[in-house]
Amino acid sequence: MRIVFMGPPGAGKGTQATRLRDDLSIPHLSTGEVLREACRAGAKFGCQTSAYIEAGELVPDETILDIVVERLDQTDCQTGFLFDGFPRTVVQAKELDRLLGERNLAIDLVLELVIEIDELILRLSLRGRSDDTEEVIQERLQQYDVLTRPVIDYYRERNLVETICGEGTPDEIFARIKVAVDKVGK
Ligand code: AP5
Ligand code: MG
């Protein structure tokens, strides 16, 4: 299965994608994690992109698409994958469609996690990553509203979106996700 996790910062994309990865035995790609890991490892593109992350702004599409193209052709992605935090702009979504189309593949399901703003601010402030300050969270939310919500509309037009309540315990949320995934049933 080819699944995209969407949702604002702190919605639980990473938490739930990790669980679903284990359940479905398909790889999980978080572009945010790749960027943070590249920065920790001192890779050139990691250092170049850290300023965007620290400011809560999106990294340029070309950088993200380079990461994705390379990952898509690795052997473990041939039976499916879970994207988390990608695509985040309509440009990225269209390019993903083109890349998959070239390989006779397509997205099967988009899981949109929804959560109240107070709850996500609480979760992120408890976690305390360097981009989890109040000011940067506000910028991340703004970027999500302006640049990423249109991606959900793009997929909704193709009936790919299942909206999942992202509040409750991780187990409760995962049970809702499983119902949506089983419905697609690939
Ligand atoms: P990214 O790393 O993707 O961050 P994000 O989307 O802002 O969201 P988070 O990872 O913070 O939250 P999440 O939804 O994964 O929730 P999580 O499970 O961690 O992106 C970071 C930056 O990288 C971007 O701002 C941008 O600069 C750049 N970037 C990445 N991808 C890009 C792209 N495609 N294009 C351009 N730029 C890109 O949970 C959050 C916290 O809540 C955790 O502490 C968790 O333990 C806790 N939690 C989870 N579930 C629950 C629950 N049910 N109850 C209580 N606590 C919970
Ligand atoms: Mg995440």
Side-chain angles (χ1 to χ4, degrees):
M1 266 185 109
R2 293 170 185 87
I3 299 176
V4 172
F5 271 88
M6 310 264 328
K13 302 182 294 293
T15 304
Q16 295 299 329
T18 304
R19 286 171 170 237
L20 197 58
R21 171 199 68 193
D22 295 343
D23 191 71
L24 298 177
S25 299
I26 51 175
H28 164 211
L29 175 69
S30 157
T31 42
E33 283 302 322
V34 171
L35 294 167
R36 281 187 291 277
E37 182 50 40
C39 184
R40 281 193 289 270
K44 194 173 160 206
F45 83 90
C47 303
Q48 286 166 346
T49 53
S50 64
Y52 291 97
I53 297 179
E54 297 304 317
E57 291 169 12
L58 293 191
V59 168
D61 290 331
E62 309 79 66
T63 308
I64 299 294
L65 289 162
D66 284 348
I67 295 170
V68 171
V69 173
E70 198 192 318
R71 191 69 187 86
L72 213 52
D73 284 331
Q74 289 173 13
T75 45
D76 63 339
C77 283
Q78 302 316 306
T79 51
F81 52 72
L82 296 165
F83 280 132
D84 148 17
F86 172 86
R88 238 170 161 114
T89 63
V90 172
V91 169
Q92 292 178 18
K94 288 187 173 167
E95 185 60 11
L96 176 61
D97 277 347
R98 196 187 65 76
L99 291 165
L100 292 176
E102 280 176 358
R103 293 158 177 77
N104 286 321
L105 303 172
I107 297 295
D108 299 305
L109 176 65
V110 176
L111 294 164
E112 177 199 17
L113 289 173
V114 292
I115 169 175
E116 290 290 326
I117 193 160
D118 291 353
E119 171 69 12
L120 69 83
I121 288 172
L122 178 69
R123 286 185 190 177
L124 295 178
S125 54
L126 284 174
R127 180 178 63 187
R129 214 166 65 191
S130 62
D131 58 346
D132 287 339
T133 62
E134 206 172 319
E135 193 190 346
V136 179
I137 293 170
Q138 290 302 341
E139 182 59 33
R140 288 160 69 194
L141 285 170
Q142 171 82 359
Q143 298 261 318
Y144 185 78
D145 278 339
V146 174
L147 296 168
T148 309
R149 278 197 203 281
V151 179
I152 301 178
D153 295 335
Y154 174 80
Y155 287 129
R156 196 165 273 130
E157 279 169 21
R158 287 151 53 190
N159 285 325
L160 288 172
V161 180
E162 283 287 340
T163 300
I164 307 284
C165 170
E167 299 197 25
T169 66
D171 282 349
E172 286 166 346
I173 299 161
F174 187 65
R176 294 173 200 142
I177 287 173
K178 277 292 284 175
V179 171
V181 169
D182 289 347
K183 229 162 58 177
V184 176
K186 288 206 179 172

